[in-house]
Amino acid sequence: MKVLAIDSALGACSAAVWDQTVMSGQQKIMSRGHVEELLPMVQAVVTESGLEFAQLELIAVSIGPGSFTGLRAGLAAARGLGLALNIPVHGVTTLEAVAAAAVRLPSTASSDAILVALETKRADIYVQTFDGLGVAMSEPLAQLPLAATDLLSANTSLCGDAADRVRAELSVERRDTIKCLPDIERPGAGDIAEIAAGRMREPVPAEPLYIHPPAAKIPEFAGRLRP
């Protein structure tokens, strides 16, 4: 299956074309500017893959948790492409995409669990626990790093761009029992594509997953003058 995957939910922008393996892909670390970067990146990876847009069969997109602006940019682009190409658009969470990257590492083969910790740019962090195969064992949550340490067992791998904040709350003795994966920080479009392609029979809708409510609120009277 030929899949175009895109991610702009967190501190990066990435796109990839996948068909059993990543045919082409790009990622750029960035805290802002996702809207301007995403569509040129999509065009570039499709061109690099040697495919035409008309040959794509699925659009996969990260649905969060993540930043409000980044999520909306990625979802809008994915839905627009899906509509134009008349192909389905399926969602993948940022947490499960990071867990999938961790599963591929030989060092996690003996782990009982994987804890993904992602930045919120607030005091708390996004966390979720997965088993050694990347299957979710808990619901995605927003917790303070200290509370997240309760999710760590003695044989857990810890990854994500907020992993250091969780590790810092552990005692020296407990740190030695946790495997930290410093190279697994944020979602990759290739993992998003593979996850979406693997669950075509039970797809996840391309709807935003918000754990925090948006910081921007609709004003009273929806911006109209009071009656």
Side-chain angles (χ1 to χ4, degrees):
M1 169 166 282
K2 299 173 179 62
V3 184
L4 169 66
I6 59 179
D7 166 62
S8 58
L10 295 166
C13 188
S14 66
V17 174
W18 181 94
D19 186 8
Q20 306 306 315
T21 188
V22 174
M23 301 174 66
S24 62
Q26 293 185 14
Q27 183 179 71
K28 183 175 182 179
I29 308 304
M30 55 197 306
S31 59
R32 60 185 64 186
H34 298 77
V35 174
E36 295 81 6
E37 191 73 27
L38 186 56
L39 288 179
M41 185 178 289
V42 166
Q43 177 68 67
V45 298
V46 173
T47 300
E48 289 169 9
S49 73
L51 297 178
E52 300 291 338
F53 276 95
Q55 294 176 272
L56 297 172
E57 300 169 88
L58 173 68
I59 307 293
V61 61
S62 57
I63 60 173
S67 74
F68 180 78
T69 302
L71 280 179
R72 302 307 294 186
L75 286 165
R79 289 168 178 166
L81 287 165
L83 183 63
L85 298 171
N86 194 29
I87 57 177
V89 180
H90 295 170
V92 174
T93 74
T94 51
L95 292 154
E96 64 182 333
V98 174
V103 168
R104 292 200 311 270
L105 296 180
S107 61
T108 61
S110 60
S111 296
D112 295 329
I114 298 167
L115 178 65
V116 180
L118 299 178
E119 278 292 352
T120 66
K121 297 184 179 179
R122 308 184 191 207
D124 58 9
I125 56 177
Y126 299 126
V127 293
Q128 189 172 14
T129 306
F130 299 82
D131 67 15
L133 298 176
V135 177
M137 299 170 63
S138 68
E139 295 298 317
L141 301 170
Q143 291 185 328
L144 292 173
L146 179 59
T149 62
D150 292 337
L151 301 173
L152 291 168
S153 64
N155 194 27
T156 301
S157 292
L158 176 62
C159 59
D161 63 355
D164 285 344
R165 292 179 62 189
V166 177
R167 189 172 184 273
E169 299 292 344
L170 295 171
S171 65
V172 175
E173 294 78 10
R174 286 196 70 193
R175 288 179 194 176
D176 292 337
T177 69
I178 302 300
K179 297 178 184 176
C180 290
L181 311 176
D183 295 332
I184 308 296
E185 292 191 348
R186 52 186 61 84
D191 293 308
I192 290 169
E194 185 169 355
I195 293 169
R199 59 184 183 204
M200 288 296 293
R201 294 185 179 181
E202 297 182 356
V204 171
E207 298 293 338
L209 172 62
Y210 295 128
I211 296 180
H212 286 300
K217 299 183 182 299
I218 298 175
E220 190 177 5
F221 305 111
R224 300 187 298 271
L225 294 175
R226 296 187 182 190

